[in-house]
Amino acid sequence: MPFRSKLYRYFFLTTTLLLTLLFFSSLLLFIAELAKRQNDLQGSSMVTAVQLLPASLKAPDVVGKAAGQSTQREATQQTLAGVESNQNLANRLHRPELSLLIEGPAQATLNQPAVFTSSVISSTGEQRNTVYPIQYRWMLDQTPSSLFYVANEITSTATVTWRAAGLRVLGLSADTSMGEVTRSVTVAVSAISPLLTSNQPMTFSYTSFTGREGITIQVPAQPMSRPIQLAYLPLSGLSSHVELGYLGQPFQLTGQSEGTTIERFDWERPIALTIRYDDKDMHGRDEEQLTLRRWNGTDWIESVESCSPPSAYVRFPDSNQLEVSICEFGQYALFGVAARLYVPLLLLD
């Protein structure tokens, strides 16, 4: 009996120990599974929060991207790749066509700030906030080297100040959770003269960014019905006539008064122009025969004929300048004729 009692006691203790180990093993597995599910739920919540967070409450990972701190953003991107909310998954399965809406002035003034606002929209024109996070990249003239502003926000606003006049291109790309979209707009950046008032002379000059080309505009003192400013806009891609010897350097000259564009002169005395050009743009033309022509909508006509009586050209080939007086606003460009070289003719018997 003592031996059998000890055997029963040993069997009971062994069974109890095994059951205890099995219980604790199951408990540990259960706790691990709960922790995994909790992490998955937090990851899914993070995706939704990052996509829909307003600009005023951006998460540190989104803000840090613009400052070069990409560690947290990379972790978020890994979460986006692994765990997606139902809304984000539905957007990817039924992805609408995205585009960029850029709102801002079509005309700007040299050395004056211009404000532009952009947002990501669908093909129907609706703002697409569900593609957040969005990283906007603003560029001048669509060149990566001219990148001047990077922002992580739903709607982006950029202030641009141009240092050179002309038809300038403002480029923008937006990197969204559904891919990249790009767009560009052309802005006419004009150089504006001082205010021109009655019986007061005015001189206004503009030099190109290279410093080799430019123009000086002189308005003599005379009575005027209203104060105005002159707007000088360098152009590109105008219609040209090869047979007329088109050289380029096109520009548009208009007047402005209280926000209204003036296309016709409202005074009697002409405007004197001094145009500075570069030798490399002559292309073998005779500088003694340079002319300035005005586009009338169908053809290039002599600018001197805009005045009555016609004005005259004054040429300075040594200093690369052409002087002429005009009596009409409009689009102008330089023209010239090919220089001729005469070779003596020898007759042999």
Side-chain angles (χ1 to χ4, degrees):
M1 291 296 295
F3 174 79
R4 181 175 299 179
S5 176
K6 289 181 180 181
L7 181 62
Y8 286 155
R9 184 180 301 174
Y10 176 80
F11 176 79
F12 175 78
L13 291 175
T14 303
T15 304
T16 302
L17 180 60
L18 291 175
L19 291 175
T20 302
L21 290 176
L22 181 61
F23 171 79
F24 279 107
S25 298
S26 301
L27 182 59
L28 289 175
L29 290 175
F30 178 75
I31 293 174
E33 183 65 20
L34 283 179
K36 181 180 178 181
R37 293 187 179 184
Q38 182 66 23
N39 289 334
D40 290 343
L41 289 176
Q42 290 178 351
S44 178
S45 300
M46 182 187 301
V47 174
T48 305
V50 169
Q51 289 177 332
L52 303 180
L53 197 62
S56 60
L57 297 174
K58 291 188 292 289
D61 61 312
V62 179
V63 179
K65 177 68 170 167
Q69 302 171 357
S70 60
T71 303
Q72 293 181 347
R73 173 65 186 274
E74 292 173 356
T76 304
Q77 290 177 340
Q78 293 176 359
T79 305
L80 284 169
V83 183
E84 293 182 306
S85 65
N86 292 333
Q87 179 64 43
N88 192 31
L89 181 59
N91 286 338
R92 289 182 180 273
L93 293 176
H94 305 88
R95 178 163 62 184
E97 293 297 328
L98 299 179
S99 62
L100 282 174
L101 173 66
I102 301 179
E103 297 177 298
Q107 299 178 350
T109 301
L110 185 68
N111 296 323
Q112 295 295 323
V115 179
F116 296 85
T117 302
S118 180
S119 58
V120 178
I121 61 174
S122 66
S123 57
T124 60
E126 298 176 352
Q127 186 170 339
R128 299 293 300 181
N129 294 342
T130 55
V131 297
Y132 195 79
I134 307 172
Q135 183 183 72
Y136 292 93
R137 295 177 178 270
W138 295 85
M139 295 173 288
L140 295 178
D141 301 321
Q142 292 183 294
T143 56
S145 60
S146 66
L147 180 70
F148 69 95
Y149 182 63
V150 178
N152 293 80
E153 49 202 356
I154 294 178
T155 300
S156 182
T157 299
T159 301
V160 187
T161 300
W162 278 279
R163 304 303 182 188
L167 299 177
R168 308 301 301 274
V169 178
L170 179 63
L172 177 65
S173 69
D175 184 13
T176 76
S177 61
M178 292 184 177
E180 183 182 18
V181 288
T182 61
R183 191 178 178 185
S184 63
V185 292
T186 300
V187 181
V189 182
S190 300
I192 306 299
S193 75
L195 188 65
L196 183 61
T197 58
S198 184
N199 298 317
Q200 294 293 325
M202 189 272 294
T203 300
F204 167 64
S205 295
Y206 173 79
T207 302
S208 68
F209 187 76
T210 61
R212 295 188 296 265
E213 301 170 346
I215 189 171
T216 297
I217 305 171
Q218 293 178 305
V219 181
Q222 57 187 306
M224 293 186 175
S225 60
R226 52 184 169 176
I228 72 167
Q229 291 177 292
L230 300 182
Y232 172 78
L233 173 64
L235 299 174
S236 59
L238 293 181
S239 300
S240 61
H241 290 229
V242 177
E243 68 275 10
L244 297 178
Y246 177 82
L247 289 176
Q249 203 167 331
F251 64 90
Q252 176 177 281
L253 184 64
T254 58
Q256 296 180 356
S257 179
E258 298 179 350
T260 303
T261 299
I262 302 173
E263 297 181 353
R264 299 184 62 85
F265 271 33
D266 60 354
W267 57 79
E268 296 181 356
R269 301 182 64 182
I271 292 177
L273 305 181
T274 301
I275 299 174
R276 300 180 296 277
Y277 56 87
D278 191 358
D279 278 331
K280 71 177 182 62
D281 297 327
M282 291 299 99
H283 304 295
R285 306 292 192 225
D286 185 0
E287 295 183 49
E288 292 288 354
Q289 300 188 54
L290 285 182
T291 61
L292 182 70
R293 293 177 178 263
R294 182 174 64 88
W295 181 251
N296 66 358
T298 57
D299 204 354
W300 290 101
I301 62 175
E302 284 283 358
S303 61
V304 294
E305 297 177 358
S306 64
C307 298
S308 181
S311 59
Y313 293 109
V314 182
R315 302 176 179 91
F316 300 93
D318 293 339
S319 57
N320 294 342
Q321 293 184 358
L322 173 68
E323 291 185 2
V324 62
S325 293
I326 62 172
C327 296
E328 292 285 348
F329 290 131
Q331 297 177 354
Y332 291 86
L334 283 178
F335 287 78
V337 296
R340 290 182 173 86
L341 176 64
Y342 293 95
V343 179
L345 179 62
L346 298 179
L347 298 177
L348 301 177
D349 294 335

